[in-house]
Amino acid sequence: MSFEHPQPGAVALVTAHDRFILRQRFRPVINQYEFSLPQDGDTPGPTLLFVEQKRFKFKEDIRFYSDDTKSVEVMRILARQRFDPRARYDITDASGGKIGEIQKVFGKSLLRSTYALFDASGEQVATAAERSMVVALFRRLVGLVPFVGDFADWLPIPYHFDFRDGDELLGTHVRQSWKFRDTYTIDLTPDTGRRLDRRLVLAAAVGMDALQAR
């Protein structure tokens, strides 16, 4: 199956904005997501991107499309190794051009999920870490409780991340409470210099959900 390349406007809509809503679609056997631009606060507008994690792949393969017809691919996340919790993931555009990389920081993630973000040249540009150590530990403990752990993802436990370059806050990734499906608000307005490629951040946002158990 061949794909059309995205029109310049499709990418421009992503790179020109600072706030996004990410929602997971409820599917029993496959991870699907949709991005939209917020309207009236945190209310999702029309779908901006549709995301689907490929099934039965030895290496993670997550594709971003302009909509759920999947006819126009925008970018993708590809793992370099198979089933490796320390794997680095390449983010590429529809033509295979490098956007950046993301990697779970395995040691730190044992206590608080932490990801490193790299630009197209492989230079680290930011980290994304769970905001609260206390909440991160509590969420892990709940997951170990018999019966309760099976429903941990349905509980209104915060799953908030901060994007930082050193001590400087560049953006936030906040899970909205009491939603039937996972819903996150991504806010990059603190990044006034637009140092972070918005495509890299959206890829990281999907990775932080889809690859959470890795």
Side-chain angles (χ1 to χ4, degrees):
M1 180 178 181
S2 61
F3 299 103
E4 300 175 29
H5 292 319
Q7 298 299 317
V11 175
L13 280 173
V14 174
T15 58
H17 288 84
D18 295 325
R19 300 186 72 245
F20 307 88
I21 303 293
L22 170 63
R23 291 182 293 171
Q24 184 173 29
R25 293 189 176 185
F26 184 73
R27 298 291 185 272
V29 295
I30 189 171
N31 281 328
Q32 291 183 342
Y33 304 87
E34 59 188 40
F35 282 100
S36 59
L37 299 177
Q39 299 179 341
D40 300 324
D42 288 335
T43 302
T47 298
L48 177 67
L49 292 173
F50 170 73
V51 187
E52 184 173 271
Q53 186 176 25
K54 296 291 184 179
R55 289 179 287 181
F56 312 122
K57 290 284 187 178
F58 288 109
K59 295 181 181 180
E60 291 293 353
D61 185 340
I62 303 174
R63 305 291 177 98
F64 293 66
Y65 305 94
S66 60
D67 56 41
D68 57 10
T69 65
K70 299 189 289 186
S71 60
V72 180
E73 185 174 329
V74 176
M75 62 181 183
R76 64 182 67 176
I77 303 174
L78 295 172
R80 294 183 182 178
Q81 295 90 29
R82 295 181 295 177
F83 312 120
D84 183 354
R86 299 176 179 83
R88 188 172 290 200
Y89 298 85
D90 291 313
I91 317 302
T92 62
D93 62 25
S95 301
K98 192 74 167 288
I99 294 172
E101 306 164 5
I102 58 174
Q103 183 177 31
K104 192 168 189 178
V105 184
F106 183 70
K108 292 182 178 180
S109 293
L110 293 175
L111 297 178
R112 176 165 56 179
S113 294
T114 303
Y115 293 81
L117 280 65
F118 305 85
D119 64 16
S121 65
E123 180 179 353
Q124 185 170 334
V125 291
T127 59
E130 283 190 80
R131 180 176 300 169
S132 170
M133 176 71 80
V134 173
V135 172
L137 292 173
F138 175 72
R139 187 167 51 79
R140 284 158 172 73
L141 289 173
V142 169
L144 297 176
V145 176
F147 305 109
V148 175
D150 293 336
F151 300 95
D153 288 343
W154 296 90
L155 300 176
I157 302 173
Y159 192 55
H160 305 334
F161 284 79
D162 289 333
F163 293 91
R164 293 183 179 273
D165 180 8
D167 294 330
E168 183 180 358
L169 180 68
L170 298 177
T172 59
H173 173 281
V174 175
R175 181 182 182 184
Q176 296 183 16
S177 301
W178 304 107
K179 297 292 185 180
F180 180 71
R181 53 179 175 165
D182 286 348
T183 303
Y184 305 92
T185 300
I186 301 158
D187 188 345
L188 296 168
T189 53
D191 181 24
T192 55
R194 308 190 70 79
R195 283 179 284 165
L196 292 181
D197 188 322
R198 274 43 181 161
R199 296 171 298 170
L200 176 61
V201 173
L202 297 193
V206 169
M208 290 187 295
D209 189 276
L211 309 174
Q212 180 179 342
R214 302 295 189 269

